Amino acid sequence: MEKKKKACLHCGIPISGRSDKQYCTDQCRANARNSRKTEDKAERYMKQVNQVLRTNRQILHKASPEGKTTLRRQVLELAGFDFRHFTSVYRTQKGSTYYFCYDYGYLLLPEEKVLIVNQQLYMG
C-alpha cells in the first residue's frame, strides 16, 4: 500500500520529509505568509498610510535641514506633501497647533505659509 504524498500549500509540489510539513521550502512558506498578509485590507491600508507618513517626513526634512524654516504651503504641496496624515499633534499654551510627522512638525501660518520645526528631545 503506497502513501499519498502531501502537496505544498503554496505551490502544490509534493512534499517529502516530516509528516506535519506544510510547505516544500522556506521560500514557499514565506511567500504564502506574504500573500496572506497582503490580502488583508487593513494591512494594505496601514502600509499606504505609513508610506504617506514617511514621504511627508522626508519632504519636511529636505525643506528644513537646519531644523526651523518658514516657506509657502504650495512648496510642500508641489513636493507631494499630504496634510491629512500626521503622527501626532502638539498644542502650545498660546493655542498654536503643530502637526508632526515623526520628528518633524509644521505649524500652519497666515498667508498660506508653513513653519517647519524639528522636534527637540530634551534629556532630563
Side-chain angles (χ1 to χ4, degrees), residues 64-69 90 98 100 102-105 116-124:
S64 182
E66 299 298 319
K68 190 173 184 180
T69 305
Y90 175 74
Y98 287 84
F100 280 85
Y102 303 109
D103 58 335
Y104 280 88
I116 300 172
V117 296
N118 190 349
Q119 184 178 25
Q120 301 297 314
L121 300 176
Y122 295 103
M123 305 294 273

Side-chain angles (χ1 to χ4, degrees), residues 16 21 29 31 37 40 42 56 59 64 66 68 75 79 92 96 98 124:
S16 60
K21 196 171 178 182
R29 182 177 44 79
N31 288 342
K37 209 169 132 183
D40 184 23
N56 280 355
I59 292 168
S64 182
E66 299 298 319
K68 190 173 184 180
V75 172
T92 65
S96 299
Y98 287 84

Side-chain angles (χ1 to χ4, degrees), residues 43-67:
E43 190 72 30
R44 268 199 318 271
Y45 179 70
M46 283 186 346
K47 281 184 177 182
Q48 290 169 349
V49 169
N50 283 331
Q51 183 58 45
V52 170
L53 290 170
R54 284 192 300 270
T55 300
N56 280 355
R57 187 211 175 268
Q58 196 173 33
I59 292 168
L60 292 173
H61 174 70
K62 285 181 181 176
S64 182
E66 299 298 319

